[in-house]
Amino acid sequence: MRRLLTVSAALVLMTSTAACSSEEKAPSSAGPSTSAASTTTTPAVDQAAAKKKVCDEAVSLSEQSSAAFMTGFNKALETAVEGSEAEAEKALADLRADLNSWSTKLSELAGQPIDETAKTALAEGAAEIKKLSSPNDNTPVGQVERTLKDITDKIKAACA
């Protein structure tokens, strides 16, 4: 059961760290008759705005999810110590579900029209979190916590 709690904790941490991109298209503005010039300028502005929106969401999600994972993991440990195996199993399942949600959201954000650096950080973070959420993952809890922090830090750096 301890191994299951450890795996669950790792999964939750991974889920909150990897979100840093989303897509938001800005409406095209009426410009001069040279549509090529306005088309070239508008996508750059749209990509920058999209990156900011995506990164703001991804960083916030990752920080909150990582903290929530640790809280949930501690709760699962308390439940396991108190002797309710069924409740401990449910707590672990909830931790895995939270990690999967985090991973999914980061993947969605990575699909937005943002630069490749941010896109890569989000996609890689999502993949690491997904891996941690696997019931077969045996990553030690301390390593899971570090991995989730590293994912969040990578997303922040790519979004800077």
Side-chain angles (χ1 to χ4, degrees), residues 92-155:
L92 290 177
D94 290 345
L95 286 173
R96 283 189 195 100
D98 290 345
L99 286 176
N100 282 323
S101 294
W102 181 11
S103 176
T104 298
K105 184 61 180 177
L106 288 180
S107 293
E108 290 172 5
L109 292 171
Q112 299 300 314
I114 56 174
D115 67 64
E116 287 303 313
T117 302
K119 189 177 291 265
T120 299
L122 292 173
E124 288 176 355
E128 286 186 60
I129 293 168
K130 184 73 171 176
K131 179 183 162 197
L132 289 175
S133 71
S134 169
N136 298 320
D137 183 72
N138 290 319
T139 304
V141 177
Q143 181 60 42
V144 171
E145 186 174 6
R146 281 188 298 275
T147 299
L148 295 179
K149 182 186 181 321
D150 289 347
I151 291 169
T152 301
D153 290 346
K154 287 177 185 177
I155 292 171

Side-chain angles (χ1 to χ4, degrees), residues 2-160:
R2 289 182 183 171
R3 188 173 114 196
L4 180 60
L5 288 176
T6 301
V7 172
S8 297
L11 294 178
V12 172
L13 288 176
M14 294 301 291
T15 304
S16 68
T17 319
C20 190
S21 68
S22 78
E23 181 179 345
E24 181 180 306
K25 293 185 179 182
S28 60
S29 58
S33 61
T34 57
S35 62
S38 67
T39 302
T40 304
T41 305
T42 302
V45 172
D46 289 347
Q47 187 179 38
K51 178 182 176 183
K52 180 178 178 357
K53 181 181 180 212
V54 166
C55 285
D56 288 349
E57 185 175 350
V59 169
S60 176
L61 172 66
S62 295
E63 290 174 341
Q64 291 173 7
S65 296
S66 183
F69 173 81
M70 291 311 299
T71 300
F73 178 74
N74 289 331
K75 181 180 175 187
L77 284 176
E78 287 176 23
T79 302
V81 169
E82 292 171 1
S84 176
E85 189 171 333
E87 287 181 23
E89 290 294 326
K90 183 185 179 325
L92 290 177
D94 290 345
L95 286 173
R96 283 189 195 100
D98 290 345
L99 286 176
N100 282 323
S101 294
W102 181 11
S103 176
T104 298
K105 184 61 180 177
L106 288 180
S107 293
E108 290 172 5
L109 292 171
Q112 299 300 314
I114 56 174
D115 67 64
E116 287 303 313
T117 302
K119 189 177 291 265
T120 299
L122 292 173
E124 288 176 355
E128 286 186 60
I129 293 168
K130 184 73 171 176
K131 179 183 162 197
L132 289 175
S133 71
S134 169
N136 298 320
D137 183 72
N138 290 319
T139 304
V141 177
Q143 181 60 42
V144 171
E145 186 174 6
R146 281 188 298 275
T147 299
L148 295 179
K149 182 186 181 321
D150 289 347
I151 291 169
T152 301
D153 290 346
K154 287 177 185 177
I155 292 171
K156 286 179 180 180
C159 288

